[in-house]
Amino acid sequence: MGKCQSADVSRREERNENKKHRFLESMARVGSRVFLPESISSPSRRNVYTTLKEHKASTYDHVHELVNDGINERGSGKVGLENLGNTCFMNSSLQCLSNTEPLTDYFLGYDYRGEINHDNILGTKGALVRSYAELTKQLWLGRSESYSPEEFKSSIGQFAPQFEGYEQQDAQELLAFLLDGIHEDLNRVITKPYVEEKDFDGTNDEGDAIISWSNYLLRNKSIVVDLFQGQLKNTMICRNNKIIQADGTHGCGHKNVKFDPFMYLSLPISDDCNSLDDCLSLFCEEETLQGDNQWYCSKCQTHVDATKKIDLWILPPILIVHLKRFKFSVTGYRSKIERQICYPLSDWNLSKKKKSEGGVFPLYDLYAVSHHRGTVTGGHYTAHAKNRFDREWYDFNDSQCRKVDKEKEKLGFGPSAYCLFYNRVERQHDATQAQETTTPIRRQSISRPELWPHLQRDTVTQWKSTRVAFDNASAD
């Protein structure tokens, strides 16, 4: 990625002399257990008493309330991150994640240590999440104007060695590795069972998607799954040019459908793309696989031409969109797509793009943007984020943080937006009511299907073909 064009890139020696940070006490933390009022009758049933009974929390609402009450609003979250040497890519991603409210709530107010999976060989035995939690604490509970993320950089470098040195890297790649590392460190599944991957024929998509999600949860349950992961529908259709159907189309008629989890959407940009919706339409556009890209048809038992179609099925509470601005030529030369893209700041309605009948109404507001300005060899990353308390936009340029006007900054349009962070919201559709609430974050568990995103709907339909082995489900 070349070198970072940053103002504070040469201050590493000075920081090494002032390495000590003020010790910060953690907030009080809560776990997954909550006490709810419950009415009980006396033996004679003449009197009814109210008592508190312990329950497994279904959401993180109690954590959000604790953190909101415990944070000093004045300077919270308005802290810069010092550049350690070409680390603007890391700082930009971290500021966007820091302003992801439910994730910050989790690391400030939840007993995350109790969910560290020390046996997972794919994780860091908690080293990564502990360093990320300390960084979160410094950004939201500290009093300094900037913080040096050296401890965090060391931890992410041990998990993903490409981030060990001081070369400029890709912000989206850092983001992907970080979220994957947090997931593995906090995976609530201690012993992962073998689960056979299921393919379907497209005749019962709603039920098949639920089966796929339940199988995924058998091996993956964490705050990352709860917040960031949704589901895509991937449809492959045989187009064997040696077989002609009665309607003149090619192929044996075999269709293969898979429902795959996703953590972010990587959207292509073409010369015709002017808006984020254009990029999303291009992502969902049917493509033909030919030549070296042919697909193996299990019915024809050979590689054949095929069509491939990806659709949005279930969307997560936090939707991360990555615009694919960097591309490689056939000769390996890397270049940047500078096309200006218009993206919504609020009310991004994805109801026409989401194909499942299940799930909360997909209306999203933007809360953070990771920008890349400049060239592949000499660019610089910054971030914009909306503060959770004063609801103002701030510009984060390494150690510098300043409040900005979204109109003057031209937020919502331009060639620099690289990763977009959207929060799903629930709004009253009645124009006379101004009430607005953030979507509850539901803890995903194989034993509690009522919390699965597929079943969050106005009218819950029972699908007869949904064959989930609840009897063998393991509780969180």
Side-chain angles (χ1 to χ4, degrees):
M1 289 293 294
K3 293 186 177 181
C4 165
Q5 298 175 341
S6 172
D8 63 350
V9 73
S10 62
R11 296 170 53 191
R12 198 185 319 163
E13 292 80 6
E14 178 184 342
R15 285 193 298 271
N16 288 337
E17 297 177 2
N18 302 282
K19 207 170 183 178
K20 293 183 179 179
H21 299 288
R22 181 185 300 175
F23 175 77
L24 293 178
E25 292 186 1
S26 299
M27 296 178 59
R29 295 183 183 273
V30 294
S32 62
R33 300 288 177 176
V34 293
F35 289 88
L36 300 175
E38 184 172 293
S39 298
I40 57 174
S41 301
S42 64
S44 63
R45 296 190 178 182
R46 292 181 179 179
N47 298 312
V48 177
Y49 303 93
T50 299
T51 185
L52 291 176
K53 186 175 181 180
E54 187 180 51
H55 293 267
K56 189 77 171 180
S58 59
T59 70
Y60 296 91
D61 289 353
H62 61 304
V63 187
H64 179 71
E65 293 171 3
L66 174 75
V67 173
N68 262 6
D69 291 341
I71 289 182
N72 178 4
E73 299 181 14
R74 181 175 297 177
S76 294
K78 305 165 189 175
V79 178
L81 289 171
E82 295 177 9
N83 194 310
L84 307 177
N86 293 318
T87 57
C88 60
F89 72 96
M90 180 181 76
N91 294 345
S92 175
S93 293
L94 289 175
Q95 293 290 6
C96 291
L97 278 186
S98 170
N99 283 278
T100 303
E101 282 190 41
L103 186 66
T104 292
D105 288 345
Y106 179 86
F107 280 106
L108 289 182
Y110 190 83
D111 181 22
Y112 74 90
R113 294 181 184 88
E115 294 191 335
I116 292 177
N117 188 333
H118 296 279
D119 300 322
N120 189 352
I121 61 174
L122 299 178
T124 68
K125 301 186 185 303
L128 181 61
V129 294
R130 283 191 291 267
S131 66
Y132 182 79
E134 176 62 26
L135 182 142
T136 301
K137 188 168 67 172
Q138 293 288 341
L139 293 181
W140 290 93
L141 303 181
R143 298 182 180 276
S144 300
E145 292 184 354
S146 63
Y147 173 70
S148 177
E150 292 170 276
E151 180 185 350
F152 171 81
K153 185 182 182 303
S154 175
S155 294
I156 191 68
Q158 292 176 23
F159 176 70
Q162 64 268 42
F163 301 118
E164 279 185 329
Y166 294 93
E167 290 295 318
Q168 177 77 298
Q169 302 288 342
D170 187 281
Q172 187 273 332
E173 290 181 8
L174 182 282
L175 183 68
F177 275 99
L178 174 55
L179 289 179
D180 186 58
I182 291 175
H183 165 67
E184 296 297 352
D185 268 2
L186 297 172
N187 195 342
R188 302 191 289 266
V189 178
I190 303 302
T191 303
K192 294 184 178 182
Y194 171 77
V195 179
E196 185 176 352
E197 187 175 310
K198 288 184 176 292
D199 296 349
F200 305 98
D201 60 7
T203 58
N204 186 32
D205 286 343
E206 297 287 357
D208 295 339
I210 291 178
I211 293 173
S212 297
W213 188 250
S214 67
N215 286 342
Y216 182 69
L217 294 180
L218 286 171
R219 295 173 56 86
N220 301 275
K221 290 182 291 187
S222 73
I223 183 66
V224 173
V225 175
D226 301 337
L227 290 180
F228 299 101
Q229 295 196 354
Q231 203 175 41
L232 298 175
K233 176 187 175 183
N234 190 333
T235 304
M236 304 289 295
I237 300 177
C238 173
R239 300 299 182 191
N240 190 335
N241 54 23
K242 296 181 180 179
I243 302 175
I244 301 179
Q245 300 289 338
D247 61 359
T249 59
H250 289 88
C252 71
H254 178 58
K255 176 189 289 188
N256 179 277
V257 175
K258 291 183 179 180
F259 293 92
D260 300 317
F262 74 93
M263 192 159 57
Y264 50 84
L265 296 177
S266 286
L267 305 186
I269 302 175
S270 73
D271 292 337
D272 298 326
C273 291
N274 296 308
S275 69
L276 196 56
D277 283 323
D278 293 337
C279 299
L280 184 56
S281 295
L282 186 60
F283 174 78
C284 296
E285 192 174 272
E286 183 178 271
E287 62 175 314
T288 301
L289 305 181
Q290 297 174 315
D292 293 339
N293 296 320
Q294 280 190 325
W295 174 62
Y296 183 82
C297 175
S298 59
K299 186 175 180 180
C300 296
Q301 295 188 339
T302 186
H303 285 87
V304 299
D305 290 354
T307 55
K308 177 181 180 179
K309 177 85 164 66
I310 296 177
D311 290 302
L312 306 183
W313 193 257
I314 288 293
L315 294 171
I318 303 297
L319 179 60
I320 301 176
V321 179
H322 162 229
L323 292 174
K324 298 170 72 172
R325 290 196 175 275
F326 300 104
K327 64 178 182 178
F328 285 94
S329 67
V330 292
T331 59
Y333 176 75
R334 196 179 194 198
S335 60
K336 183 183 176 186
I337 301 173
E338 294 279 3
R339 186 160 185 81
Q340 301 196 68
I341 299 296
C342 180
Y343 52 95
L345 300 183
S346 62
D347 297 333
W348 189 26
N349 187 342
L350 292 174
S351 59
K352 293 183 179 179
K353 295 291 186 181
K354 184 178 74 69
K355 300 304 179 182
S356 172
E357 296 177 2
V360 178
F361 190 81
L363 189 68
Y364 287 86
D365 284 353
L366 184 77
Y367 69 89
V369 187
S370 173
H371 297 275
H372 182 274
R373 296 179 175 87
T375 65
V376 173
T377 57
H380 181 55
Y381 285 97
T382 62
H384 280 110
K386 194 174 186 179
N387 186 270
R388 65 189 290 170
F389 293 115
D390 62 20
R391 311 310 294 170
E392 298 285 350
W393 283 94
Y394 288 81
D395 173 67
F396 294 93
N397 186 354
D398 287 332
S399 61
Q400 305 297 315
C401 172
R402 64 185 179 93
K403 184 165 69 172
V404 296
D405 182 280
K406 63 182 181 181
E407 304 296 337
K408 293 181 180 179
E409 293 287 297
K410 296 182 179 179
L411 275 174
F413 180 75
S416 64
Y418 187 46
C419 292
L420 305 165
F421 293 72
Y422 282 93
N423 179 62
R424 190 176 65 205
V425 294
E426 294 179 4
R427 285 200 175 89
Q428 297 286 347
H429 294 289
D430 186 349
T432 62
Q433 300 185 34
Q435 184 180 0
E436 176 183 322
T437 59
T438 301
T439 299
I441 308 300
R442 299 172 177 88
R443 284 174 63 91
Q444 296 301 290
S445 166
I446 189 65
S447 62
R448 302 189 67 178
E450 72 275 10
L451 300 178
W452 296 353
H454 308 69
L455 300 182
Q456 309 309 313
R457 54 173 67 200
D458 295 333
T459 303
V460 178
T461 303
Q462 299 296 328
W463 293 286
K464 296 181 181 179
S465 64
T466 304
R467 302 174 295 276
V468 183
F470 298 116
D471 293 338
N472 299 325
S474 57
D476 277 350

